[in-house]
Amino acid sequence: MDKAMGKEALPKQDEGTIFVHHSEAVWDHRETYGPPGFRGVFMNSYAALCAAFAAIGGLIFGYDQGVVSVVLVMPQFLARFSQVSESSPSAGFDKGLLTAMIELGALIGALNQGWMADKISRKFSIVVAVVIFTVGSVLQTASVGYAMLVVARLIGGIGIGMLSMVAPLYISEISPPEIRGALLVLEELSIVTGIVVAYWITYGTRYMAGEWAWRLPFLLQLVPGLILGAGIFFLPFS
């Protein structure tokens, strides 16, 4: 009878269950939160601001990546950590290890953030990540030896990895479906912005006399971390 009326029969999977497939856009069949795309971002300003704030985690990740790439060639830094200077026979390995510690820490943090986000909520798991990152940043700023700096970057990397995992998850869960993709782009944009900011800051501090030329960039990464850790309490649960 359906075919005679020009309609396709609805596919039945199980008795009493009917699955209806629509070829049209989903907003043609339900009430929406607004238009899709960037136009919808401006019409859902609260969700957009919450997502932008949560994306500070990506800014921290990019900043730390950018800082170490410039710090490693600063004369002031090489004077303290001779292991990574060109005169050291193991400079290549030591420099690579120092750089890779944040990636290893990020891997550990990302792998352990899933169960934590389920157990204590996405919101409070961001707070835990910020605390770990803060500890790592303080130790990096106060480092007096190569081993201390390596461990500090590992700890900081764990916090960054946790943020990199939970921030996009949090953003996707608080975002309306129509603008979810547009808001998730903020995470990647924040990472790139963090790298650029780090380059300009280290470009300025490299002309400072003494060890603050490299300690100050490590110290400044505490600022966005503390802002995120304090401000997350004012954001909604996902």
Side-chain angles (χ1 to χ4, degrees):
M1 181 177 178
D2 288 329
K3 292 183 179 180
M5 296 175 63
K7 299 180 179 179
E8 295 183 359
L10 298 176
K12 294 185 178 182
Q13 304 296 330
D14 298 310
E15 186 176 353
T17 302
I18 298 178
F19 295 91
V20 182
H21 300 274
H22 298 288
S23 59
E24 300 87 355
V26 65
W27 46 80
D28 292 338
H29 301 280
R30 65 165 174 80
E31 185 177 354
T32 64
Y33 294 90
F38 286 103
R39 192 159 59 96
V41 171
F42 294 102
M43 297 189 65
N44 291 275
S45 57
Y46 179 72
L49 289 175
C50 291
F53 194 86
I56 293 178
L59 179 73
I60 296 171
F61 190 11
Y63 181 89
D64 198 273
Q65 292 274 16
V67 160
V68 72
S69 63
V70 180
V71 163
L72 282 173
V73 298
M74 285 186 179
Q76 302 93 322
F77 180 82
L78 298 177
R80 164 65 67 173
F81 304 100
S82 58
Q83 294 90 338
V84 297
S85 64
E86 296 297 332
S87 59
S88 174
S90 60
F93 175 81
D94 292 333
K95 189 178 294 186
L97 179 64
L98 182 63
T99 305
M101 276 299 100
I102 188 174
E103 309 295 346
L104 177 60
L107 175 63
I108 297 172
L111 290 176
N112 286 278
Q113 181 67 321
W115 66 266
M116 185 179 297
D118 288 338
K119 188 174 182 63
I120 66 174
S121 79
R122 279 70 163 136
K123 179 176 176 177
F124 289 140
S125 64
I126 291 177
V127 177
V128 174
V130 169
V131 170
I132 296 175
F133 170 76
T134 300
V135 172
S137 297
V138 170
L139 291 175
Q140 287 181 71
T141 304
S143 292
V144 294
Y146 176 78
M148 181 178 179
L149 184 58
V150 169
V151 174
R153 288 190 60 77
L154 178 65
I155 296 174
I158 293 175
I160 288 175
M162 294 172 68
L163 287 172
S164 299
M165 185 274 180
V166 74
L169 179 62
Y170 178 81
I171 292 172
S172 66
E173 291 181 351
I174 66 170
S175 304
E178 292 79 13
I179 60 173
R180 185 170 296 142
L183 294 184
L184 282 171
V185 173
L186 291 173
E187 177 72 9
E188 185 63 30
L189 178 62
S190 296
I191 294 175
V192 177
T193 302
I195 295 173
V196 174
V197 170
Y199 282 159
W200 281 107
I201 288 178
T202 50
Y203 177 78
T205 61
R206 66 182 299 181
Y207 297 105
M208 295 175 61
E211 294 187 348
W212 277 108
W214 59 268
R215 292 190 189 273
L216 184 58
F218 282 140
L219 180 64
L220 289 177
Q221 65 185 351
L222 284 169
V223 176
L226 294 176
I227 291 174
L228 176 60
I232 194 67
F233 288 99
F234 300 97
L235 268 62
F237 287 94
S238 63

